[in-house]
Amino acid sequence: MLSIRLKTIAQFVDKDASVIDIGTDHAYIPIYLVQEGISKKVWATDVSENALNYAIKNIEEAGLEDVIRTKVSDGLKNIDESFDIAILAGMGTTTIKHILQSENIPETIILQSNNDLADLREFMNQLGYTLSLEKIVFENKKYYSIMKYVLGKELLTQEEVLFGKSNDLDYFMYLKAYYDKLYEKSKQQIFFEYSQILSKFIEKIQA
């Protein structure tokens, strides 16, 4: 059974879009996309041959080895085909930025980074992508931000760069409490400012 995080990522995929899942790990998303009839052309890639072997095993057990193509690749470096959507999930922002510094990135990109979300949003904005959809999921006592980007310029506010577009009340309240604690311990003004911004977000959502 697909986790909440991975299922949400899969639900961000447009119907009949061709997809490359970069850093696929166990290929859970590609298998789900094909089994649910969401995508007919899916690639599962990973920089680690060992990790990709687990993916291949799962794909074969699902009987989808003729549908899902696998390849060892450092991001898009060894990929000579084009795709509608790229998925990069479960990795850090530094790795994501490295992968997306490529000439053949798709017009739609679905991201789930484990850290530095503000840095990632700013990078994608500078890359010329619009944050069209962002959703927060809570799983295993942790919040995950899942973002869907489409090619096109947009002007993000400082607040949107810092905390996104999810409008998730529970997430914003969690973040506010987090920054309040950091400010109490350190008295660093930046944490107080973040808390104030989040207060405005929370008021707007509750209005």
Side-chain angles (χ1 to χ4, degrees), residues 7-18:
K7 191 171 184 179
T8 302
I9 292 168
Q11 290 171 343
F12 274 28
V13 174
D14 301 313
K15 175 74 172 176
D16 293 328
S18 58

Side-chain angles (χ1 to χ4, degrees), residues 109-154:
I109 303 171
I110 298 170
L111 303 175
Q112 183 270 299
S113 174
N114 293 333
N115 54 32
D116 300 329
L117 298 181
D119 183 29
L120 180 58
R121 293 188 191 99
E122 188 169 18
F123 171 80
M124 293 302 296
N125 188 245
Q126 293 173 352
L127 202 60
Y129 280 77
T130 293
L131 179 53
S132 66
L133 182 62
E134 182 169 5
K135 186 172 182 179
I136 305 297
V137 298
F138 186 72
E139 186 173 54
N140 298 326
K141 299 181 180 180
K142 185 175 180 179
Y143 285 99
Y144 296 93
S145 173
I146 300 164
M147 297 178 280
K148 183 175 184 177
Y149 281 92
V150 295
L151 189 63
K153 292 281 188 179
E154 72 169 336

Side-chain angles (χ1 to χ4, degrees), residues 2 5-13 29 32-33 38 87:
L2 215 59
R5 178 179 65 91
L6 295 182
K7 191 171 184 179
T8 302
I9 292 168
Q11 290 171 343
F12 274 28
V13 174
I29 291 176
Y32 180 87
L33 291 175
I38 298 171
I87 297 173

